[in-house]
Amino acid sequence: LDMFLNTNVTSKEDAQIATGDGTGQNLTGLVTSAPAYTAAAAGITDANIKDLVRKMRTAIVKNRGSKYSPNFVAANSEVIDQYILKKDGNNNYMFDAATGTIGGLLIVEDNNLADNTLVVGDSRFGTIYEKGGVVLSKVYAGDQAIEDMMTLKARKRLLFLIRNVDKTGFLKCTDIDAALATLATAP
């Protein structure tokens, strides 16, 4: 029972940190906090995810001095596979999966993120605050006492914070395919 509750609480935490919408008791997650990236025509031949990640990184650091140093790209396994499995005209893999990076940024696989979506950012400006432990509540709801059943509720206090002033240290792309098509377009 302990493993079941801890696994489910951890799974819920991960989902909320990644995609929480900030309403009610939901956290304001990474995707909700990060501003949207708008790709610009760049004339990149056969634009790929590495090109997109580098352009997003440049958009974060340009005109901000040395404040930000993006160090991660978060995406689900489908997006990561799209990057790692990219081949050249001779059917050779273009990128080395062993490095665990895309354009110098650490790959963070998070399958809570939607397909065709990725986030680039500086992890120093996203903080998780948590109150230790999980509170467990037991209740009988409806006819559960008669049926020898019980409802268990696990609760954890948690906050994921990207300060408003630091949201510019992150960018999200919610349509990778469209962004790649724009990057391939001549300026």
Side-chain angles (χ1 to χ4, degrees):
L1 184 61
D2 185 50
M3 183 199 68
F4 174 75
L5 290 173
N6 282 327
T7 300
N8 285 338
V9 168
T10 301
S11 178
K12 187 69 170 176
E13 280 180 67
D14 291 345
Q16 286 291 311
I17 289 169
T19 61
D21 63 8
T23 61
Q25 295 181 359
N26 294 330
L27 298 178
T28 302
L30 178 62
V31 173
T32 303
S33 296
Y37 171 71
T38 303
I44 298 172
T45 303
D46 193 25
N48 58 56
I49 290 177
K50 182 176 181 178
D51 298 317
L52 174 61
V53 167
R54 289 301 301 180
K55 285 295 195 178
M56 290 175 71
R57 182 198 176 284
T58 299
I60 291 171
V61 299
K62 191 174 181 180
N63 302 322
R64 291 191 178 86
S66 60
K67 180 176 182 177
Y68 300 120
S69 182
N71 58 355
F72 79 92
V73 55
N76 71 22
S77 56
E78 290 290 332
V79 172
I80 294 168
D81 284 351
Q82 185 180 348
Y83 166 73
I84 291 173
L85 300 176
K86 177 82 172 159
K87 294 182 180 179
D88 64 17
N90 295 322
N91 212 26
N92 298 311
Y93 289 107
M94 293 177 57
F95 306 110
D96 183 10
T99 64
T101 64
I102 298 176
L105 305 180
L106 178 68
I107 298 171
V108 177
E109 182 177 335
D110 190 332
N111 287 303
N112 292 301
L113 297 178
D115 287 344
N116 206 28
T117 298
L118 61 80
V119 179
V120 171
D122 188 336
S123 65
R124 298 174 303 156
F125 294 94
T127 307
I128 299 171
Y129 297 96
E130 65 181 304
K131 185 174 180 180
V134 175
V135 176
L136 185 62
S137 303
K138 299 182 262 182
V139 297
Y140 291 103
D143 292 336
Q144 284 185 333
I146 297 168
E147 297 170 5
D148 289 330
M149 294 179 68
M150 180 184 293
T151 297
L152 296 175
K153 180 178 181 179
R155 184 181 302 179
K156 186 168 185 175
R157 304 271 317 251
L158 185 74
L159 170 69
F160 177 66
L161 177 66
I162 298 174
R163 296 178 334 140
N164 286 336
V165 69
D166 293 324
K167 287 183 179 183
T168 54
F170 301 84
L171 283 175
K172 67 182 168 197
C173 177
T174 56
D175 191 345
I176 293 170
D177 295 336
L180 293 178
T182 302
L183 290 176
T185 304

